[in-house]
Amino acid sequence: MLQKFIYQEKGLFLQSLHPVASLTLIAAFFLLSLSFSHPYYLLGLLLVILLSLWAAGGLAAWEGYLKAVLWLILLIVLINALVNRSGSTILWNGPELPLFGRLPVTMEAISYGATMGVRLLNMVSAFCLFNLIVHPDRFFSLFSTVARKSVLVVTLATRLFPLLLATLERIREAQQLRGVDFSQGTLRERVMKNAAIFNTLLLSALEDSLQMAEAMQARAFGSGSRSRYRRDIFRPRDAICLAGIGLSLLVSVYSLARGMGTYTYFPELGSLQGSKISLIALAVVLLGLSVPALLNWGCKYWPYLKWKI
Amino acid sequence: MAKWKAPLFFLIVIGLLAFSITTGKQVKLSWSLLAAGIVGVAIIFLYWDFEQSPVSPREISVIAVLGAVAALARVSLAALPNIQPVTFLVIVSGYVFGARTGFMVGSTAALASNFFLGQGPWTPWQMFAWGLAGASAAYFRAAVPNAGKWVLALFQFAWGYLFGCIMNVWTWTAFIYPLSWQSFLATWATSLWFDSLHALSNVFFYLIFGGGVIKILNRVKKKIEVSRLPVQDVPASNNHKLLLYKTITYSSIKGLPR
């Protein structure tokens, strides 16, 4: 069930990017979602993220994220609608509550809540994309020069995870062979049986960890400065993607500075009709961010392009 | 540099806050970015501290294993609503091994388990909250050295709500407007049910597993610690024996062929 959330090597163009390029893409999605408050910009970003997800073949995984985050979005809309009193178009006078007073529900507050819901969806979808296109090890290898101990800890933990899962199964089977039936007994008895498994798992894992440390020491870990080698190469495709993302970031800063990416919600909703230049800016931002997804599509159908970049 | 770490951290945080006040009307640094920035800076500084600490390979592998066990427990119980075995395990690790290890176990568990449950904007906040839970347990031990079983259970219970509170700050700053105490209370009210489950499950895990896990961790702690014993004073009556021993070894070494 959890398999679809985990990174899988599919040989995609997006997965072949240098981690710097793919991380810049994710960070751009994330930061721009936090910076813009205009519904057009946020919805546009959602479209581009979905386009990238489609290119990465991750729409099925995204549905899982959507289900998990939907209740949070509803909650955000609800709290904003009830608590926010800055709006002027009152739809419902709301209940009278002690401590809070009257809670009027306004159209502005609902629209604000809905836009914030889109912002959350953007951020979550960006992370979904991260899970699909960036291999955890390649991500951490970026930091291995500056934070070698921390990176080692995290890499070891993610590596140990499947190993511990196998150990857990082994302990359970050994217990079953000894006649422990996990489905029998009262709730208390069953809890105690599982507690015994957990303690055994912890004890054996920690014993293994000491051996692991000895193995590390035997391989001269910590005996001097760390040597390293890089397998990630920086190719023209990374430069093209970074150029697109950079362009859209520059235009975003420009449009934020001109006040085009923000939107007035209170006391009354502002006009959604933007000037010509704001539409052009929006188009450039979205186009720049969709460069990796478009190249992914191009490389799929045009081997020459894939070979060239 | 180590001496300047704490002042530098506060300087950056105050600088971020000051920047948010002084920026113009057009480019307003939103609280969502600011709060995420402060948490990010805190995590970077705590990791930096870990990088500079003289940590042995044994400690590194024990932290990794504890983080992985916590992550495994979290993932395998993910279907239950907000039953978080991570909090319990992280607090106990911090309690036994100290603040730095507690923080590392907590943040590693959050990061590693999210590779299986899904990374999200919540990851840094969870890393921060769980790391803090682990570190605070060590300080709690220092403040209340002989805490009984029920006092620790109360500490576990409190962290259920504290964790919810930290995560609520994220939801609140990022998605709610206006940022008033009423809206914060409303955010908290919606999560109260989940936080209570979290707190109760912490106590439950602690009462069932606590004693055994603390015993196991103490045993490991003994094994990974290198303690240097001070040179013992030899009583005066034994002095001549030592002298004799010294002369014998010295002479035997001296007598070795070269």
Side-chain angles (χ1 to χ4, degrees):
Chain A
M1 171 201 103
L2 293 168
Q3 211 58 44
K4 65 183 176 205
F5 296 121
I6 306 170
Y7 178 90
Q8 285 160 343
E9 189 60 55
K10 294 179 195 158
L12 293 172
F13 169 82
L14 280 173
Q15 292 177 328
S16 74
L17 285 177
H18 192 276
V20 169
S22 39
L23 273 182
T24 316
L25 179 68
I26 310 288
F29 281 140
F30 190 74
L31 286 177
L32 291 182
S33 310
L34 274 176
S35 311
F36 289 128
S37 65
H38 199 290
Y40 283 177
Y41 277 84
L42 286 173
L43 284 172
L45 276 176
L46 183 62
L47 274 182
V48 177
I49 298 174
L50 284 179
L51 180 74
S52 313
L53 277 170
W54 168 77
L59 284 179
W62 180 73
E63 272 172 32
Y65 273 77
L66 186 65
K67 274 177 203 154
V69 91
L70 211 54
W71 68 269
L72 195 57
I73 292 177
L74 286 177
L75 216 67
I76 287 167
V77 175
L78 192 74
I79 296 175
N80 272 305
L82 284 177
V83 176
N84 195 314
R85 285 177 225 187
S86 314
S88 59
T89 319
I90 295 177
L91 297 179
W92 180 48
N93 250 331
E96 180 90 39
L97 282 183
L99 204 69
F100 282 91
R102 190 164 279 288
L103 299 172
V105 176
T106 61
M107 192 171 77
E108 285 81 9
I110 292 181
S111 343
Y112 182 80
T115 320
M116 289 304 108
V118 175
R119 174 185 276 182
L120 176 67
L121 193 60
N122 275 352
M123 292 181 353
V124 169
S125 311
F127 271 101
C128 176
L129 187 65
F130 169 83
N131 272 2
L132 293 169
I133 66 170
V134 188
H135 192 286
D137 286 350
R138 291 179 75 195
F139 168 65
F140 287 124
S141 76
L142 268 187
F143 302 101
S144 63
T145 47
V146 283
R148 58 190 188 92
K149 288 178 197 165
S150 322
V151 166
L152 182 64
V153 166
V154 180
T155 321
L156 274 180
T158 37
R159 271 270 177 279
L160 281 172
F161 190 93
L163 208 69
L164 285 178
L165 203 63
T167 315
L168 190 69
E169 278 311 303
R170 221 180 52 221
I171 298 169
R172 191 188 295 276
E173 278 166 11
Q175 293 278 54
Q176 276 170 343
L177 280 178
R178 286 176 182 169
V180 180
D181 190 348
F182 289 98
S183 58
Q184 287 285 312
T186 60
L187 187 67
R188 193 185 156 75
E189 281 170 1
R190 271 185 284 170
V191 166
M192 291 323 274
K193 283 173 191 168
N194 281 299
I197 290 190
F198 178 76
N199 281 344
T200 317
L201 174 75
L202 189 64
L203 197 61
S204 73
L206 284 170
E207 283 297 326
D208 289 350
S209 84
L210 295 182
Q211 285 181 14
M212 198 162 67
E214 274 154 22
M216 274 157 62
Q217 217 153 13
R219 285 162 178 75
F221 174 83
S223 63
S225 57
R226 182 179 184 269
S227 59
R228 59 182 172 271
Y229 79 106
R230 284 202 181 283
R231 273 194 305 189
D232 296 320
I233 37 173
F234 198 84
R235 287 179 281 195
R237 55 181 70 179
D238 304 307
I240 297 172
C241 290
L242 280 176
I245 300 164
L247 175 71
S248 83
L249 282 178
L250 279 179
V251 177
S252 310
V253 171
Y254 168 77
S255 74
L256 277 172
R258 292 280 300 270
M260 294 187 297
T262 48
Y263 179 69
T264 340
Y265 290 92
F266 307 109
E268 263 176 37
L269 292 180
S271 165
L272 274 175
Q273 208 171 18
S275 58
K276 205 175 170 188
I277 192 151
S278 74
L279 283 180
I280 294 174
L282 175 64
V284 172
V285 168
L286 298 184
L287 208 63
L289 286 174
S290 35
V291 164
L294 293 177
L295 281 181
N296 185 78
W297 174 76
C299 285
K300 202 165 157 189
Y301 293 106
W302 193 16
Y304 179 71
L305 181 70
K306 191 177 179 182
W307 172 71
K308 203 70 191 166
I309 56 172
Chain B
M1 200 64 203
K3 206 167 60 179
W4 294 100
K5 226 177 280 165
L8 189 65
F9 170 69
F10 286 111
L11 200 72
I12 291 178
V13 171
I14 291 168
L16 275 174
L17 290 174
F19 183 68
S20 76
I21 296 169
T22 51
T23 42
K25 272 189 184 150
Q26 291 291 342
V27 195
K28 224 161 54 187
L29 200 58
S30 63
W31 267 102
S32 53
L33 266 178
L34 203 63
I38 291 174
V39 165
V41 170
I43 292 177
I44 289 173
F45 267 76
L46 287 163
Y47 269 93
W48 185 21
D49 182 60
F50 177 72
E51 282 304 317
Q52 290 192 328
S53 65
V55 56
S56 68
R58 287 181 168 214
E59 283 170 274
I60 287 183
S61 58
V62 165
I63 291 172
V65 162
L66 283 174
V69 169
L72 179 70
R74 177 169 181 226
V75 174
S76 53
L77 292 182
L80 303 173
N82 221 24
I83 306 289
Q84 300 280 19
V86 178
T87 320
F88 148 72
L89 207 60
V90 165
I91 288 178
V92 171
S93 319
Y95 187 77
V96 172
F97 288 108
R100 187 179 288 138
T101 308
F103 172 80
M104 285 307 292
V105 171
S107 59
T108 307
L111 192 57
S113 62
N114 279 350
F115 274 110
F116 302 93
L117 295 175
Q119 301 283 5
W122 46 77
T123 304
W125 290 86
Q126 284 176 344
M127 285 169 70
F128 179 70
W130 269 322
L132 216 58
S136 70
Y139 296 123
F140 176 76
R141 188 182 193 176
V144 193
N146 298 317
K149 195 177 181 182
W150 291 102
V151 181
L152 263 172
L154 197 70
F155 185 75
Q156 296 266 6
F157 187 76
W159 257 107
Y161 288 99
L162 266 174
F163 185 87
C165 182
I166 293 174
M167 295 309 290
N168 279 336
V169 170
W170 167 63
T171 330
W172 182 59
T173 51
F175 308 110
I176 308 288
Y177 183 88
L179 296 176
S180 60
W181 63 269
Q182 280 107 332
S183 60
F184 186 70
L185 277 186
T187 316
W188 208 348
T190 52
S191 77
L192 201 62
W193 160 244
F194 292 100
D195 293 345
S196 307
L197 268 179
H198 188 181
L200 285 176
S201 66
N202 281 354
V203 174
F204 171 78
F205 284 125
Y206 178 68
L207 292 180
I208 299 274
F209 297 103
V213 171
I214 288 181
K215 208 187 264 176
I216 294 171
L217 293 187
N218 269 326
R219 181 174 171 275
V220 174
K221 193 189 178 193
K222 257 184 216 161
K223 284 183 110 172
I224 65 171
E225 262 182 356
V226 179
S227 49
R228 294 179 196 280
L229 295 174
V231 179
Q232 283 178 348
D233 283 335
V234 184
S237 57
N238 282 346
N239 251 353
H240 64 281
K241 277 186 196 164
L242 187 76
L243 212 64
L244 191 70
Y245 175 72
K246 265 188 179 166
T247 39
I248 289 171
T249 43
Y250 180 66
S251 55
S252 59
I253 291 169
K254 215 180 164 189
L256 281 174
R258 296 211 169 169

